[in-house]
Amino acid sequence: MLKCFFKLKSFISFFLIILLVAFLITVGTNISVSAKSSAASSKVDKVVFALITFNNIPDDYSFVEKAVNDVLRKKANVEIDLQLYGPSEYSQRVNLNLSSGAQMDLFLPDLGQFPYFVTKNAAYPLENLIKKYGQDLKKKLDEDFGPDWMKAVTMKGHVYAVPVNKAFAIPATWIYNADMLKETGISPDQVKSIEDLDKVFRAVKQKHPDVVPFGPINVNPSDTGLIWYLRCRYRIDFLTDSTGVGVLIGNSNKVVNLYETNEFKYGVKIMRDWYKKGYIQKDAATTTTGQPVLVSTGRGFSFMGGYSGKEIGKVFSAQWGKNIGSKRIAPPYTDYFDTRAVNQVVWMINKRSKVPEAAMKFLNILYTDKYILNTLLYGIEGTCYVKVDEHHVTFPKGKTAADVPYTAHLCSGVLGSESLQYQLGNVSWEDVLFRIKENKTTPRSPYFGFIFDPEKVRTEISTVNNVINRYLPALVCGSVDPDTTIPQFINALKRAGADKIIKEKQLQLNQWISENKKK
């Protein structure tokens, strides 16, 4: 009996030793796994972020990059390699890096060229990345615009971009010298459409014979804002292509050439009438000086363009030191959304990126973190800018945008969320909120979400654009007779392949309408 007891005791001791060894092995393994997991989780991924800037590029902006990365590493184990390029070289550098395979993880495609970068297989599909790493970004865009923003950046069943979260409602707006208008005795309330401007220009011309009443907002090529006005007034959807040789007017479902429509002919005849009356300068179609420059110096009275909000006049007043007013003039609708309004300025992740998850983590923070966004826009507080109040900043005393160590404030329209950006000068914060609110209240085009794939007619689009650049500036500036020039313009467009573009658009639109009816 005693012998059996000692055998049992020896067995129990042996068993306990086995358990202890197993426990130690398990603990050691867990410690090893934990150490490896910790090392993995502390790995910092670098994202090459190519940013266009319309400000001077300083020789050294590493201090801005460091300030941003100090926060990004703590928040997401991510850091950026900030690469700044001016507008003249940005597109070239983006295309070069995409074709060469050089690292460039986040980029801004050419204005309105989102479909092209998808069809050339340069963009990474984002829907899974957004679901896993971009939920804050998605929530912000949903709140400021509405959940249908994804329709504007979805092609071939995938989300390929994230639109800049800004005001997308951009009505046709008349910008004018308010002091000159007051001298005429005409109230801004009396100006409700383009037809009301004739009497204003006549009165200004009588008071100030040497002042140019109206002119092109942009030059090279010249653009008087007429096409934008027609788009807003008649609810013209350009179907994500800027040529105009394949548009929808209202909800007709029929793709037409804008330049053959009565709406276009009516608009250019008004420009011709103004030109003959001396309201538009004689060299408007070829000038290298836009009307905004003339207005800023007192040599011009007004111009027309697309601007969000209702207080753009105050912005120009602060910039030019003059009393500038603004008025929306496109009845019966101030504006409406087509797809291109949303996918015109977007961020894409390079299809070849080796760190797409990190790129989305950075985008998620960029769209939702006020410090990160404004550091990239304005630099370091106290050195590059000073706070005026919660929403406004200015440059340090004695400094301007030209001589602070860093500023990229002019690229506010291509970066992050507008509702988180500091405002420079006397921009009304209430107007910023109004602009964001209009994103939800502005009517959508019936074809919102349709994206034209230009791949089959890329050659024709290039040729058509050459024709447009040859004819359109003179027509919208009134310097040629529309009755004789429009037929020549249309014939040249047909020879360039306009009808083939229209046919292809109609085919794609019909398919899109059919698919959306089933949903």
Side-chain angles (χ1 to χ4, degrees):
M1 185 77 176
L2 189 61
K3 188 177 182 180
C4 289
F5 171 75
F6 281 115
K7 283 185 178 180
L8 179 61
K9 186 176 180 181
S10 297
F11 175 77
I12 292 172
S13 298
F14 176 74
F15 181 70
L16 289 173
I17 290 171
I18 294 296
L19 286 176
L20 179 60
V21 170
F23 173 74
L24 291 173
I25 291 173
T26 302
V27 170
T29 301
N30 286 340
I31 291 172
S32 176
V33 171
S34 177
K36 289 180 181 179
S37 299
S38 177
S41 66
S42 64
K43 179 178 177 292
V44 176
D45 290 313
K46 179 166 285 190
V47 175
V48 175
F49 178 47
L51 177 62
I52 187 172
T53 179
F54 303 96
N55 292 98
N56 296 329
I57 300 176
D59 294 332
D60 179 21
Y61 50 87
S62 60
F63 62 98
V64 173
E65 183 181 85
K66 180 181 183 304
V68 168
N69 285 337
D70 286 346
V71 175
L72 290 177
R73 280 191 293 269
K74 293 175 183 177
K75 281 198 157 195
N77 284 340
V78 170
E79 61 183 24
I80 60 169
D81 176 358
L82 177 61
Q83 298 184 359
L84 294 178
Y85 302 109
S88 62
E89 64 173 331
Y90 185 84
S91 178
Q92 181 182 359
R93 293 300 294 263
V94 165
N95 285 293
L96 178 64
N97 287 346
L98 287 174
S99 60
S100 69
Q103 186 180 0
M104 184 193 60
D105 302 295
L106 273 171
F107 68 95
L108 195 75
D110 295 339
L111 195 68
Q113 294 300 306
F114 160 76
Y116 171 70
F117 282 85
V118 173
T119 57
K120 72 181 286 189
N121 201 30
Y124 199 98
L126 304 182
E127 59 273 9
N128 291 331
L129 292 177
I130 291 173
K131 183 179 287 188
K132 193 168 183 180
Y133 304 109
Q135 281 301 299
D136 297 330
L137 174 155
K138 181 180 182 303
K139 182 181 178 183
K140 183 65 177 166
L141 276 163
D142 287 353
E143 289 173 350
D144 288 356
F145 180 79
D148 56 345
W149 64 270
M150 279 194 179
K151 291 180 182 179
V153 287
T154 298
M155 285 184 71
K156 302 177 181 180
H158 295 287
V159 176
Y160 281 108
V162 177
V164 175
N165 187 16
K166 61 178 183 177
F168 296 107
I170 306 179
T173 303
W174 178 53
I175 310 297
Y176 59 92
N177 184 310
D179 290 333
M180 290 185 188
L181 181 65
K182 187 176 181 180
E183 290 176 5
T184 68
I186 300 173
S187 166
D189 294 336
Q190 294 175 256
V191 181
K192 298 179 180 178
S193 70
I194 197 172
E195 290 83 359
D196 296 326
L197 291 174
D198 185 279
K199 62 184 178 185
V200 176
F201 295 158
R202 182 170 62 251
V204 168
K205 197 71 176 171
Q206 289 173 351
K207 293 280 187 181
H208 300 277
D210 296 331
V211 166
V212 179
F214 186 79
I217 180 175
N218 294 318
V219 294
N220 298 321
S222 290
D223 168 23
T224 54
L226 174 67
I227 301 301
W228 193 261
Y229 174 84
L230 296 176
R231 169 197 173 273
C232 295
R233 177 166 178 164
Y234 299 110
R235 303 191 77 174
I236 301 174
D237 191 325
F238 277 68
L239 299 175
T240 68
D241 162 32
S242 62
T243 62
V245 295
V247 303
L248 291 169
I249 300 179
N251 55 357
S252 66
N253 286 3
K254 182 175 175 56
V255 181
V256 298
N257 184 344
L258 172 65
Y259 309 114
E260 295 186 57
T261 65
N262 290 330
E263 288 82 359
F264 176 73
K265 293 173 184 175
Y266 178 69
V268 296
K269 283 186 176 181
I270 290 177
M271 295 296 116
R272 179 61 174 171
D273 182 56
W274 291 358
Y275 180 86
K276 290 195 296 184
K277 290 177 177 176
Y279 302 157
I280 303 176
Q281 69 262 45
K282 295 301 180 184
D283 65 343
T286 57
T287 182
T288 57
T289 304
Q291 185 74 356
V293 175
L294 298 185
V295 175
S296 70
T297 60
R299 293 178 292 143
F301 169 64
S302 72
F303 60 93
M304 183 164 57
Y307 297 99
S308 59
K310 290 187 175 182
E311 298 191 7
I312 182 63
K314 290 184 178 180
V315 176
F316 288 130
S317 295
Q319 291 177 355
W320 299 339
K322 294 188 179 299
N323 184 13
I324 304 298
S326 61
K327 183 73 188 295
R328 295 180 174 189
I329 58 166
Y333 303 98
T334 57
D335 193 22
Y336 85 113
F337 282 129
D338 58 18
T339 308
R340 191 168 181 264
V342 179
N343 70 21
Q344 194 164 10
V345 183
V346 297
W347 284 100
M348 302 177 108
I349 295 178
N350 187 352
K351 180 68 177 290
R352 297 184 181 183
S353 174
K354 295 179 180 179
V355 288
E357 296 87 356
M360 180 53 68
K361 289 177 184 178
F362 168 62
L363 276 181
N364 192 56
I365 294 172
L366 178 64
Y367 277 66
T368 56
D369 188 296
K370 183 180 286 190
Y371 173 80
I372 294 295
L373 173 58
N374 286 294
T375 300
L376 287 169
L377 283 174
Y378 293 103
I380 308 301
E381 183 177 0
T383 302
C384 305
Y385 74 92
V386 292
K387 292 286 293 291
V388 175
D389 56 39
E390 182 183 359
H391 302 295
H392 294 83
V393 298
T394 189
F395 297 116
K397 188 175 181 179
K399 298 288 186 180
T400 67
D403 53 21
V404 289
Y406 172 96
T407 186
H409 73 278
L410 290 179
C411 68
S412 59
V414 302
L415 204 60
S417 297
E418 186 175 20
S419 60
L420 298 178
Q421 293 175 359
Y422 295 147
Q423 303 297 315
L424 194 63
N426 65 343
V427 176
S428 165
W429 184 247
E430 288 69 29
D431 197 52
V432 172
L433 297 180
F434 171 79
R435 297 199 298 258
I436 299 298
K437 182 180 178 182
E438 279 200 312
N439 280 348
K440 288 188 174 181
T441 59
T442 300
R444 264 59 162 174
S445 163
Y447 314 97
F448 184 79
F450 171 79
I451 299 175
F452 175 55
D453 184 345
E455 190 60 32
K456 293 182 180 179
V457 288
R458 192 167 303 286
T459 300
E460 288 77 11
I461 287 176
S462 176
T463 309
V464 156
N465 275 323
N466 291 333
V467 173
I468 290 170
N469 289 336
R470 190 163 76 245
Y471 282 93
L472 191 60
L475 283 166
V476 299
C477 290
S479 59
V480 294
D481 181 1
D483 289 333
T484 57
T485 305
I486 288 179
Q488 298 170 8
F489 182 26
I490 292 171
N491 287 335
L493 287 172
K494 288 182 180 296
R495 291 194 299 270
D499 290 340
K500 185 177 179 181
I501 297 171
I502 291 170
K503 183 179 179 181
E504 180 61 26
K505 277 193 176 183
Q506 188 71 67
L507 286 171
Q508 292 185 28
L509 179 71
N510 291 345
Q511 182 178 352
W512 182 85
I513 292 173
S514 175
E515 291 173 353
N516 278 268
K517 280 182 179 179
K518 296 174 184 177
K519 293 180 181 178

